[in-house]
Amino acid sequence: MKTLLLCLACLLLTTIAKADQALGYPVKNPLISFSAPDGWEAKVKNGSLFVVSPDGGDVIVEVMTMEAAAADDDAAIKEAKDTVQDFKNLKLEKSDVTEAKGLMVRLLGGEGEDASGPAHINMTLIKHPDSDHQILFSVIASKETAAKYGAAVGGMLNSINAVDKSQTDAPADGAVQTFSYPDKAKPDFAVDFPSDWKMKETDEGVYVESPDKLVAMNVIMVDKADVVDAEETLKKKVGERFKEILWNEGKEPEVNNDPALGVTATFQNAQASDGPGTEKYSVNLITYVRKSGDKSLILLCQKPLRALDKHADAMEAVVKSIKVR
């Protein structure tokens, strides 16, 4: 019987599937990044990032921060094994630690059986130089569908990279302009924007526009009690600009609740246009609600899809810069 380490090696040599989703973990301040195929659902739950195949569970990816310290390999291996202790006939093998794409990586994998039947189990134990704890990137795939999703899984595993914090925490030139609320001395909320983007204060917060006017962002401070009404009002106003608009692919928005920080973040995305053959637009609505305080922050971003070719990195940096006290 082939071991999972051999299966993993084969996956990495498979033609990489088209990957349209750029994901990072941890979600708010990523240490690693990877790509997932379009159509796979990504969701945060209890601090872990889950990515599930379109069939709803033939392949389940979970990325989590481990309790094991970065230097404690024995504890990390034991903790990883504990995550699959409910599998029967479990056979796992481990590799040596190797360096790959700025990370120290150990593979731990094999086969087992659960209520759904035989499964492949791939676990990657990751050490990032800026993290005190190891990250576990686990993939559990039904044996019956291993061939169907082999390229997709291989693409995800092969795309894992270290996020260089020195490169993502600020623009390359180190210059940003910051919106702070209620003040710079002790802000409850802060957002950094590129230094060459036009920023203008408004009654509600700030309006920011890229130099070529392709990207428009609004930071809007609203009373916490009025957040839901404010979101619906903004969605209605945006919708009036287009003949067609679909929010969240017709699904519920993604909600990430962090009890430790006392912050709830809601992510809503829309695709819009004026009908077939017209330019397509992307709209992002992100809301941060603090457990304490009376105000909440809403970030609204609107741009044509062609703006992503030029401004994707800048927009990602803006979202990653958001700080909530």
Side-chain angles (χ1 to χ4, degrees):
M1 181 182 295
K2 293 183 178 180
T3 67
L4 188 67
L5 297 182
L6 282 175
C7 293
L8 180 57
C10 292
L11 285 173
L12 292 176
L13 294 174
T14 304
T15 300
I16 295 177
K18 180 181 178 182
D20 293 326
Q21 300 185 68
L23 302 175
Y25 184 84
V27 173
K28 189 169 183 180
N29 294 298
L31 293 169
I32 64 170
S33 63
F34 65 99
S35 297
D38 186 34
W40 289 49
E41 183 180 6
K43 182 176 294 186
V44 176
K45 183 177 180 181
N46 297 328
S48 293
L49 173 63
F50 290 89
V51 186
V52 181
S53 56
D55 48 58
D58 277 351
V59 180
I60 298 176
V61 177
E62 180 180 4
V63 190
M64 59 175 284
T65 301
M66 305 179 75
E67 294 183 4
D72 197 340
D73 290 336
D74 290 341
I77 292 171
K78 181 181 183 303
E79 187 176 343
K81 289 181 176 179
D82 287 345
T83 65
V84 291
Q85 62 181 348
D86 292 337
F87 281 79
K88 298 178 180 179
N89 302 320
L90 190 62
K91 297 179 181 179
L92 298 175
E93 296 184 12
K94 66 179 180 180
S95 73
D96 294 330
V97 176
T98 59
E99 184 175 0
K101 301 179 181 179
L103 302 165
M104 301 304 294
V105 175
R106 183 194 298 275
L107 306 179
L108 180 65
E111 298 175 340
E113 296 181 19
D114 64 4
S116 301
H120 290 305
I121 301 170
N122 297 295
M123 293 186 285
T124 306
L125 283 69
I126 301 169
K127 299 181 184 180
H128 188 286
D130 293 334
S131 177
D132 294 330
H133 296 270
Q134 297 195 31
I135 295 172
L136 178 62
F137 192 108
S138 64
V139 183
I140 297 178
S142 164
K143 271 186 135 180
E144 292 183 1
T145 56
K148 177 180 178 181
Y149 291 115
V153 174
M156 279 188 281
L157 294 171
N158 203 37
S159 69
I160 298 173
N161 273 290
V163 173
D164 186 346
K165 303 302 289 181
S166 66
Q167 296 297 317
T168 58
D169 287 346
D173 61 4
V176 296
Q177 48 186 337
T178 303
F179 167 79
S180 302
Y181 180 89
D183 53 55
K184 292 183 178 180
K186 193 175 181 181
D188 291 335
F189 299 92
V191 188
D192 294 335
F193 296 95
S195 58
D196 61 340
W197 287 33
K198 180 182 178 182
M199 187 164 75
K200 181 181 179 181
E201 291 187 4
T202 67
D203 292 339
E204 297 85 11
V206 70
Y207 172 79
V208 184
E209 189 176 69
S210 61
D212 55 14
K213 299 184 178 181
L214 285 179
V215 181
M217 290 185 168
N218 292 84
V219 176
I220 304 163
M221 304 305 303
V222 301
D223 291 339
K224 185 161 58 176
D226 297 332
V227 164
V228 175
D229 289 340
E231 289 175 329
E232 292 306 311
T233 298
L234 287 170
K235 289 166 68 175
K236 181 179 179 181
K237 287 183 177 179
V238 172
E240 290 172 349
R241 292 186 53 211
F242 303 99
K243 289 184 178 180
E244 300 177 353
I245 188 166
L246 178 63
W247 286 93
N248 309 312
E249 297 181 336
K251 303 176 183 178
E252 292 296 316
E254 177 185 342
V255 179
N256 181 13
N257 182 27
D258 191 330
L261 295 176
V263 176
T264 299
T266 303
F267 303 88
Q268 303 194 61
N269 304 287
Q271 296 291 321
S273 73
D274 285 328
T278 62
E279 186 166 39
K280 296 184 183 299
Y281 282 74
S282 174
V283 185
N284 311 106
L285 187 66
I286 308 174
T287 305
Y288 286 88
V289 178
R290 297 171 68 234
K291 185 177 180 179
S292 59
D294 297 326
K295 290 288 186 178
S296 297
L297 180 146
I298 296 178
L299 175 66
L300 175 66
C301 178
Q302 304 176 71
K303 69 278 182 187
L305 291 184
R306 58 188 169 92
L308 296 175
D309 294 334
K310 184 176 181 180
H311 297 301
D313 290 344
M315 289 186 289
E316 182 181 6
V318 169
V319 175
K320 287 181 178 179
S321 77
I322 299 174
K323 298 178 180 64
V324 184
R325 184 174 62 84

